Amino acid sequence: MTTQEEQTRSGLRFPTGFAFGAATSAYQIEGAVAEDGRGTSIWDTFTKTPGRVLNGHHGDVAMDHYHRFKEDVAIMADLGLTAYRFSVSWPRIQPTGSGAVNQKGLDFYRRLTDELLRHGIDPWLTLYHWDLPQALEDQGGWPNRDTAYRFAEYASAVHEALKDHVHTFSTVNEPWCAAFLGYASGEHAPGRREPQNAIRGAHHLNLAHGLAVQAMGARRVGGCVNLYAVTPATDSEADLDAARRIDGLQNRFFLDALLTGQYPQDVLDDLGMDPEVIQPGDMKTIGSPIDVLLVNYYSRFTVSGAPGGRASAAAAPTDSASPWVGSEHVSFVNGGRPVTAMGWEIDEGGLVEILTRVARDYPPIPMVVSENGAAFDDVLVDGRIHDRERQAYVEAHLGACKEAIEAGVPLEGYFAWSLMDNFEWAWGYGKRFGLVHVDFETQERLLKDSALWYSEIIRQNRRHEPTDS
Ligand code: FCB
């Protein structure tokens, strides 16, 4: 028996049907920004604005996935992935964010999903992974309520075109990031630093989710949140309050809204939410039933209410303000754990904690871990990348998934972030999260050791599953 077989036998065996996936997003990999009628997105504009992205990097070519998707799907098939989570670029479908659809844009996702299905890989489609059409930003962006209605129309068009290809649609990836990094800290596009508008944006992103769920009707629909485990630095009153605030804004604000149709009152108070932003009926719309919750998990925050600490958990690559609207005094302290190349503390126990918490505190909802992974500084040695740290990270977090399942959490799958190295937002091409290495000059793909390991885990699990034939 090989070591990997032993590992599967001893620990990483999952229930039949558990999805083993990997995730990407449109702007991070597609490139082809001016092809087949694609419009401009806020990330095109942002990346071309000096000082916004490290080294002036942009996604014009990215991983050239738009042209190389067949090769990329073949890699997924080689790895044995059973599911693939990708996002649709809104400006490919509606170049100015509203009105007639661009058939060529839709055709790309038909070709992609055809190819996935041909290889027996289940396509998980995300409608919005942060690339808002610039024309909608010019009309106010997410702080403008109309954007939510435009999103529902877009969702409906994509759903109509792809519902025979795609089983699971999800709405907005990580609304916290889209609202608070986009409109409060300015670290992400569109790079505004307008705390009150970030709050409006957060509500409208939630509203967009709810309206899209309703517009898409009967298909399997999910919402996606990025959750963090949060610990107070000490049990002082100030630190306990800091933990309540950060947990509130990062986790409960979105979980409560999507799963119970309410915002937590303490978070509304922290934010000083203008009651007029929330219109009658909004919360019911936002709480529209969903079929699955997509949970992105990376790390734990240790927070303090005492002055003097860091304003965010890890260094930002560019000049930015606090995303913690109403709780700007909270600081992030070193929790003493090993960190990834992003400076994010590694804590798989936090994943067990948040999954069991959602299962315990909210109405029953199937879940998947829709993103989890780590950036490390990979080194190419004799044509191989021995990324032991990434492998250990994924292994530990898969172990956490297993533990959560054993504790009764209805967890149905795991998607590694990311299938391949890509454009990591404000960090440009400076951080590699892929299981697959990409040479940014030649576009050559190479499986890292972590990919080979993951593939073996999947193979071992599949071996024990009953087959149809
Ligand atoms: C998440 C994003 C994803 C990627 C990872 C590292 O917040 O959804 O696009 O950047 O972080």
Side-chain angles (χ1 to χ4, degrees):
M1 207 174 0
T2 67
T3 322
Q4 282 164 349
E5 279 169 358
E6 278 161 21
Q7 274 167 350
T8 324
R9 296 230 167 134
S10 60
L12 293 178
R13 177 95 70 82
F14 286 84
T16 301
F18 187 82
F20 289 97
T24 62
S25 88
Y27 189 73
Q28 294 179 278
I29 63 166
E30 284 180 359
V33 292
E35 250 171 88
D36 292 338
R38 178 187 179 278
T40 303
S41 86
I42 54 174
W43 274 95
D44 297 307
T45 308
F46 189 72
T47 52
K48 303 296 165 61
T49 311
R52 296 307 214 160
V53 172
L54 209 58
N55 301 316
H57 288 164
H58 53 71
D60 285 9
V61 177
M63 304 304 100
D64 197 31
H65 173 75
Y66 193 77
H67 301 115
R68 294 169 193 260
F69 73 91
K70 284 195 176 166
E71 178 188 345
D72 292 334
V73 174
I75 291 172
M76 296 177 216
D78 273 356
L79 290 176
L81 299 188
T82 64
Y84 172 54
R85 174 173 177 249
F86 64 98
S87 81
V88 171
S89 157
W90 187 348
R92 281 197 199 285
I93 309 303
Q94 289 176 305
T96 57
S98 61
V101 300
N102 171 31
Q103 191 57 45
K104 285 191 170 167
L106 279 173
D107 288 347
F108 169 68
Y109 297 102
R110 270 197 98 83
R111 291 197 298 276
L112 171 64
T113 50
D114 270 339
E115 193 69 9
L116 289 165
L117 294 172
R118 217 164 59 75
H119 285 86
I121 301 169
D122 188 16
W124 283 58
L125 184 153
T126 297
L127 286 157
Y128 185 72
H129 203 125
W130 308 349
D131 43 359
L132 186 71
Q134 181 63 41
L136 293 184
E137 175 58 25
D138 296 341
Q139 291 158 43
W142 286 109
N144 176 4
R145 188 177 167 93
D146 281 349
T147 303
Y149 294 92
R150 299 292 80 76
F151 179 73
E153 289 162 12
Y154 153 70
S156 190
V158 174
H159 177 257
E160 198 43 45
L162 295 172
K163 65 182 181 209
D164 55 341
H165 279 51
V166 174
H167 185 231
T168 310
F169 288 79
S170 74
T171 56
V172 177
N173 176 71
E174 302 189 351
W176 182 89
C177 291
F180 293 104
L181 299 181
Y183 294 90
S185 79
E187 184 181 333
H188 282 183
R192 285 158 65 180
R193 295 183 191 175
E194 301 163 13
Q196 285 307 311
N197 274 330
I199 301 171
R200 303 169 78 89
H203 178 64
H204 295 149
L205 281 151
N206 285 340
L207 182 63
H209 157 82
L211 291 167
V213 169
Q214 293 183 346
M216 288 190 286
R219 294 302 294 189
R220 210 167 98 97
V221 179
C224 174
V225 286
N226 55 321
L227 304 182
Y228 282 80
V230 182
T231 321
T234 70
D235 58 7
S236 73
E237 213 174 294
D239 291 356
L240 291 171
D241 182 64
R244 177 195 62 73
R245 284 169 173 272
I246 299 306
D247 173 57
L249 188 50
Q250 179 77 57
N251 300 326
R252 288 183 289 119
F253 185 78
F254 297 96
L255 285 171
D256 287 18
L258 266 57
L259 300 178
T260 72
Q262 281 173 338
Y263 285 130
Q265 188 58 47
D266 64 313
V267 182
L268 293 179
D269 295 344
D270 294 344
L271 288 170
M273 169 73 96
D274 172 357
E276 291 191 358
V277 173
I278 307 170
Q279 296 195 5
D282 282 4
M283 297 314 299
K284 190 156 185 279
T285 302
I286 294 170
S288 297
I290 52 174
D291 305 295
V292 57
L293 183 71
L294 287 81
V295 174
N296 295 356
Y297 175 81
Y298 289 94
S299 187
R300 178 186 295 275
F301 293 149
T302 306
V303 297
S304 169
R310 298 191 314 253
S312 67
T318 48
D319 181 29
S320 54
S322 170
W324 303 105
V325 179
S327 299
E328 288 87 351
H329 68 283
V330 171
S331 63
F332 292 74
V333 305
N334 187 338
R337 297 177 185 82
V339 295
T340 69
M342 297 293 279
W344 299 350
E345 291 192 18
I346 303 171
D347 184 24
E348 63 276 13
L351 178 56
V352 184
E353 190 176 304
I354 56 158
L355 292 172
T356 49
R357 173 194 185 181
V358 174
R360 184 189 63 226
D361 294 355
Y362 292 91
I365 180 88
M367 286 183 257
V368 294
V369 172
S370 39
E371 280 183 30
N372 174 251
F376 287 107
D377 298 326
D378 296 324
V379 193
L380 193 60
V381 182
D382 297 334
R384 294 282 300 271
I385 290 168
H386 303 300
D387 57 338
R388 292 276 147 68
E389 291 169 298
R390 184 175 294 101
Q391 176 180 321
Y393 183 100
V394 174
E395 184 174 350
H397 287 79
L398 273 173
C401 291
K402 179 110 194 332
E403 201 177 321
I405 292 170
E406 281 161 6
V409 173
L411 185 70
E412 300 185 345
Y414 174 90
F415 292 79
W417 183 271
S418 177
L419 173 68
M420 58 183 147
D421 295 335
N422 60 46
F423 173 80
E424 178 47 34
W425 309 115
W427 294 91
Y429 297 101
K431 301 289 175 195
R432 293 177 179 270
F433 273 90
L435 296 174
V436 177
H437 178 267
V438 180
D439 180 320
F440 297 141
E441 299 300 319
T442 64
Q443 294 292 349
E444 205 178 316
R445 275 72 163 144
L446 170 74
L447 304 194
K448 301 180 192 176
D449 283 3
S450 58
L452 301 171
W453 173 86
Y454 187 43
S455 170
E456 178 62 19
I457 295 294
I458 300 171
R459 200 180 63 79
Q460 288 289 319
N461 271 277
R462 290 289 94 98
R463 183 185 279 176
H464 300 289
E465 290 196 354
T467 52
D468 296 337
S469 49

